């Protein structure tokens, strides 16, 4: 007699392959959550109670957390980060652990350092005005000019590639159980974008993105399991990179480890490259310089380089699909949500202009993987 009316079938159930992802219903849209209900006065209390410091407090802009710049009487500066209560504690812990790992693996790498609390902890928990508990961390503050506000000078892109490789090498020996969490911004999860395409208003663009996802499923996804993978920064974009001056010659810092995930190195590099696609006669110029700088410190494999154009396209598709979906859900914030949409469409057009064969050849030459 069968249990619960289930009739057994012959043989094993179908084997599963690909990416293990959480059920869609388990996901939380962090950017849809209110930031912590913490004002400057409460932040000052938290800083004094947990870290024994005080000074001038300045709120900083943040999408989902409450961040405060604290300037001590000594002139030293620190960042008090009060994390959104909706963020998975394990993911928060991974970000903290990664920064501590980098401090040991590459002490000269310009990333934020985690300050110990009076209890000797890397993080504490504080209660906001609405009663919500929030993870609190105190970090060193990195100075510099945000790359998105700077003008690149000759040599900058090669230096950016080298810097990116240093971060990747620094994280190479890092492991954390939360590294495998589902993150829609992770390029290897591109198949999960399909339900979001219905919110793309432009029919031609929607069809183009659908085509790219079809290509991903048929051609790119089966190749990803064969690539090197590790926990990576996954958001090496101009808003997270600090440079030496408005006329930028070299990077001096990297911030925001909030998109960290375990994924192929090629996906991480594609994210970085997607923001540097140019216009005009040589749209791949900056990308090739970055890839050359990266490969000089961390040699790339030929298969990783060959997949870069497809992965860069998928990063742009991710930006456009997620942006369209969130703009529909939160129309009052649509202009901000869609701020990168035009750049992503230009990026797709630039790659189409060059063509995959020419792009792969140029990138192989830059990486020394011909």
């Amino acid at each position: 007699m069968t249990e619960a009316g289930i009739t057994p079938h012959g043989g094993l159930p179908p084997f599963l392959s690909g990416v293990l992802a959480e059920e869609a219903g388990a996901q939380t849209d962090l950017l849809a959550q209110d930031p912590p209900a913490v004002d400057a006065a409460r932040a000052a209390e938290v800083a004094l109670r947990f870290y024994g410091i005080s000074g001038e407090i300045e709120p900083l802009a943040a999408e989902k957390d409450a961040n405060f710049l604290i300037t001590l009487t000594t002139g030293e500066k620190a960042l008090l980060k009060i994390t959104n209560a909706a963020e998975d504690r394990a993911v928060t812990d991974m970000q903290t652990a990664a920064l501590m790992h980098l401090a040991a693996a590459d002490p000269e790498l310009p990333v934020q350092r985690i300050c110990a609390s009076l209890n000797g902890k890397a993080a504490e928990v504080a209660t906001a005005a609405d009663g919500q508990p929030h993870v609190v961390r105190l970090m060193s503050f990195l100075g510099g000019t945000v790359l998105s506000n700077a003008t690149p000078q000759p040599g900058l892109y090669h230096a950016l590639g080298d810097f990116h490789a240093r971060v990747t090498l620094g994280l190479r020996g890092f492991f954390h159980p939360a590294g495998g969490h589902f993150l829609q911004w992770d390029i290897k999860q591109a198949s999960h974008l399909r339900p979001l395409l219905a919110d793309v208003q432009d029919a031609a663009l929607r069809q183009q993105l659908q085509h790219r996802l079809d290509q991903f499923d048929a051609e790119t996804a089966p190749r990803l399991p064969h690539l090197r993978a590790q926990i990576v920064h996954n958001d090496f974009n101009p808003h997270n990179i600090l440079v030496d001056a408005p006329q930028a010659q070299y990077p001096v810092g990297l911030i925001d480890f909030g998109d960290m995930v375990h994924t192929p190195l090629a996906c991480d590099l594609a994210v970085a490259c997607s923001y540097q696609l140019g216009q005009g006669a040589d749209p791949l110029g900056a990308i090739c310089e970055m890839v050359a700088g990266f490969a000089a410190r961390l040699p790339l494999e030929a298969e990783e380089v060959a997949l870069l154009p497809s992965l860069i396209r998928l990063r742009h598709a991710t930006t456009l699909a997620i942006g369209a979906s969130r703009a529909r859900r939160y129309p009052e914030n649509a202009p901000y949500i869609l701020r990168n949409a035009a750049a992503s469409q230009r990026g797709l057009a630039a790659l189409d202009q060059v063509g995959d064969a020419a792009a792969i050849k140029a990138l192989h030459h830059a990486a020394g993987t011909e």
Side-chain angles (χ1 to χ4, degrees), residues 84-353:
N84 196 301
E87 181 170 279
D88 186 338
R89 290 283 183 92
V91 173
T92 306
D93 179 72
M94 175 175 65
Q95 298 161 17
T96 305
L99 289 172
M100 294 173 65
H101 176 89
L102 287 172
D106 189 349
E108 301 304 315
L109 189 68
V111 296
Q112 291 167 300
R113 300 289 183 242
I114 299 293
C115 300
S117 71
L118 295 175
N119 295 321
K121 296 180 179 180
E124 296 283 355
V125 176
T127 303
D130 58 1
Q132 286 270 25
H134 297 275
V135 173
V136 175
R137 289 164 292 174
L138 185 71
M139 307 177 183
S140 59
F141 184 81
L142 296 179
T145 301
V146 179
L147 177 56
S148 58
N149 297 330
T151 302
Q153 300 300 299
L156 174 67
Y157 292 111
H158 192 280
L160 285 175
D162 176 76
F163 182 38
H164 190 189
R166 275 186 70 186
V167 175
T168 305
L169 282 170
L171 289 170
R172 183 167 58 178
F174 176 68
F175 173 79
H176 193 280
H181 76 115
F182 177 86
L183 181 71
Q184 186 61 84
W185 286 103
D186 179 7
I187 293 176
K188 74 173 185 289
Q189 304 287 2
S191 292
H192 295 270
L193 293 170
R194 290 186 184 278
L196 309 184
L197 296 186
D199 295 319
V200 176
Q201 299 300 307
D202 186 304
L205 177 60
R206 185 169 61 251
Q207 185 175 12
Q208 180 186 9
L209 298 181
Q210 180 70 56
H211 174 63
R212 294 304 173 194
L213 295 187
D214 291 342
Q215 284 187 318
F216 171 77
D217 288 342
E219 302 170 15
T220 306
R223 298 161 72 179
L224 296 183
H226 302 282
L227 304 183
R228 294 178 295 176
Q230 66 173 68
I231 294 177
V232 295
H233 181 270
N234 197 46
D235 200 13
F236 197 81
N237 80 67
H239 296 283
N240 292 335
I241 300 167
L242 303 174
V243 291
D244 58 315
Q247 301 296 315
Q249 295 182 314
Y250 55 87
V252 298
L254 178 66
I255 60 174
D256 194 352
F257 282 65
D259 277 358
M260 289 182 65
V261 70
H262 187 283
T263 201
L265 269 66
C267 291
D268 183 44
L269 182 56
V271 170
C273 290
S274 70
Y275 291 94
Q276 307 302 345
L277 272 170
Q279 304 297 310
D282 187 21
L284 297 183
I287 289 178
C288 287
E289 288 186 46
M290 282 184 62
V291 168
F294 188 100
R297 183 176 291 269
L298 175 53
L300 290 162
E301 297 178 355
E303 180 75 348
E304 293 170 330
V305 176
L307 282 173
L308 276 178
S310 294
L311 295 173
I312 292 170
R313 279 194 177 93
L314 287 163
R315 174 64 178 199
H316 288 311
T318 299
T319 297
L320 291 165
I322 292 178
S325 176
R326 297 196 68 252
R328 181 190 63 79
R329 293 172 62 187
Y330 313 109
E332 70 284 354
N333 203 25
Y336 176 77
I337 293 170
L338 297 174
R339 65 194 183 283
N340 293 321
S344 288
Q345 292 189 60
R346 288 195 299 270
L348 290 173
L351 283 172
D352 288 342
Q353 170 193 330

